[in-house]
Amino acid sequence: MIESRCGILCSQCEYREQMNCKGCVHIDTPFWGDSCPIKSCCENKKQDNCGQCADFPCNLLNEFAYDKENGDNGQRILQCKMWCRK
């Protein structure tokens, strides 16, 4: 089951319960700000997640995945690939 647009596993997110977040595929506005560029991009392209995009993995997704403070060293990219294989 797809949990996010970018490949983050929302079920493992430390903020999920404290922010009452249902994951970006189930909400209009993320708890962390007015919008998320990755969420917006996927939804504008009518895709479930980044892995379905012809530009995958794009520069924007790579920036998020390998961000020094909040990145996950590419794990979200691998997750998108797994979702798209099913």
Side-chain angles (χ1 to χ4, degrees):
M1 179 175 91
I2 294 171
E3 297 182 34
S4 69
R5 303 292 182 210
C6 70
I8 286 178
L9 292 176
C10 299
S11 59
Q12 297 176 10
C13 178
E14 63 186 272
Y15 299 106
R16 184 180 180 144
E17 285 188 31
Q18 75 186 74
M19 301 306 290
N20 194 29
C21 182
K22 295 173 179 41
C24 70
V25 297
H26 303 290
I27 59 175
D28 292 324
T29 306
F31 68 84
W32 59 89
D34 292 334
S35 66
C36 171
I38 292 178
K39 174 178 170 49
S40 298
C41 182
C42 279
E43 291 173 357
N44 288 337
K45 293 180 178 181
K46 300 191 183 337
Q47 296 172 335
D48 292 329
N49 69 73
C50 292
Q52 297 173 328
C53 185
D55 297 326
F56 174 79
C58 68
N59 289 337
L60 180 60
L61 182 61
N62 276 311
E63 286 176 27
F64 274 74
Y66 294 102
D67 180 77
K68 289 181 182 181
E69 289 184 36
N70 298 308
D72 58 9
N73 202 29
Q75 289 301 307
R76 69 187 73 201
I77 293 171
L78 295 175
Q79 185 61 54
C80 283
K81 287 180 183 178
M82 288 175 50
W83 285 336
C84 287
R85 287 186 191 148
K86 294 179 180 181

